[in-house]
């Protein structure tokens, strides 16, 4: 768990990256040399933008490939300007957005024999899920359980997100957990 100071630092970094992107259309890459180890540890993150409590962007990665603070800066920029579901964020929206940061654990593979078996192994409200079939892949963060509380609906919507037909079986699945922080 992050201290309140570390949380504030990450939210400030995310906002600075978005502000920088409003004028430069590039992410702000923070220096990591003098930061504490917990901010420079290699971690996977998602950054969520909400405007008047509605989703306005959400981008991230389930693979830990860069320092936490860099991941947050890059994903904040991408959530604001590169989420294909939304137009790029504009200056009038920026002061109204609220940020959420999810810091993910390493995904662990799930052995399952059927979708029913897969669902039995998930902890609703706690587990994030990645599913894959051939090159089709999608994930839902643990926070998605807030709006899709029924496990069957959760999996059905995730399959839809992955462009899988209802009858198409899932070949692989992974679970992960996350620490979630909101402004």
């Amino acid at each position: 768990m992050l201290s309140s100071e570390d949380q504030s630092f990450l939210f400030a970094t995310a906002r600075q990256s978005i502000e920088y992107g409003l004028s430069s259309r590039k992410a702000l890459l923070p220096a990591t040399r003098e930061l504490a180890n917990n901010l420079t540890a290699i971690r996977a993150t998602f950054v969520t933008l909400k405007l008047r409590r509605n989703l306005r962007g959400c981008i991230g990665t389930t693979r830990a490939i860069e320092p936490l603070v860099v991941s947050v800066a890059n994903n904040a920029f991408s959530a604001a300007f590169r989420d294909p579901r939304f137009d790029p964020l504009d200056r009038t929206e920026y002061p109204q957005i609220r940020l959420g940061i999810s810091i993910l654990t390493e995904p662990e593979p799930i052995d399952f024999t059927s979708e029913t078996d897969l669902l039995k192994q998930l902890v609703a409200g706690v587990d994030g899920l990645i599913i894959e079939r051939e090159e089709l892949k999608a994930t839902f963060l643990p926070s998605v359980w807030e709006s899709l509380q029924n496990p069957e609906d959760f999996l059905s919507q995730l399959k839809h997100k992955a462009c899988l037909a209802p009858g198409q079986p899932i070949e692989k699945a992974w679970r992960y957990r996350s620490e979630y922080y909101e402004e």
Side-chain angles (χ1 to χ4, degrees), residues 64-125:
I65 55 174
E66 57 194 356
L68 173 60
V69 68
V70 174
S71 181
V72 166
N74 284 333
N75 290 330
F77 171 83
S78 293
F81 304 107
R82 293 189 175 153
D83 188 325
R85 300 169 291 181
F86 302 96
D87 290 332
L89 189 75
D90 65 45
R91 290 187 184 281
T92 61
E93 294 173 306
Y94 174 69
Q96 302 169 56
I97 62 164
R98 292 294 161 254
L99 303 175
I101 297 173
S102 297
I103 304 171
L104 282 53
T105 62
E106 191 70 28
E108 18 174 280
I110 304 172
D111 290 323
F112 61 97
T113 57
S114 66
E115 288 184 11
T116 302
D117 181 35
L118 174 61
L119 290 172
K120 286 180 185 176
Q121 297 183 55
L122 293 179
V123 179

Side-chain angles (χ1 to χ4, degrees), residues 26-164:
K26 295 182 203 171
L28 178 68
L29 296 179
T32 59
R33 283 191 308 263
E34 297 179 20
L35 296 177
N37 288 344
N38 56 331
L39 294 173
T40 59
I42 306 300
R43 298 293 302 270
T45 69
F46 272 76
V47 175
T48 303
L49 306 176
K50 290 192 176 179
L51 181 64
R52 293 183 283 285
R53 296 190 179 143
N54 294 314
L55 183 66
R56 180 58 180 83
C58 184
I59 297 282
T61 179
T62 57
R63 291 185 40 227
I65 55 174
E66 57 194 356
L68 173 60
V69 68
V70 174
S71 181
V72 166
N74 284 333
N75 290 330
F77 171 83
S78 293
F81 304 107
R82 293 189 175 153
D83 188 325
R85 300 169 291 181
F86 302 96
D87 290 332
L89 189 75
D90 65 45
R91 290 187 184 281
T92 61
E93 294 173 306
Y94 174 69
Q96 302 169 56
I97 62 164
R98 292 294 161 254
L99 303 175
I101 297 173
S102 297
I103 304 171
L104 282 53
T105 62
E106 191 70 28
E108 18 174 280
I110 304 172
D111 290 323
F112 61 97
T113 57
S114 66
E115 288 184 11
T116 302
D117 181 35
L118 174 61
L119 290 172
K120 286 180 185 176
Q121 297 183 55
L122 293 179
V123 179
V126 176
D127 288 335
L129 182 63
I130 305 165
I131 60 169
E132 181 179 308
R133 178 180 171 85
E134 297 169 1
E135 58 280 336
L136 301 174
K137 193 174 189 177
T139 188
F140 273 161
L141 294 169
S143 58
V144 173
W145 287 103
E146 293 172 15
S147 58
L148 295 171
Q149 296 175 358
N150 177 300
E152 288 80 11
D153 292 341
F154 185 88
L155 186 56
S156 172
Q157 290 300 311
L158 183 55
K159 286 180 72 172
H160 179 72
K161 181 180 179 185
C163 297
L164 293 172

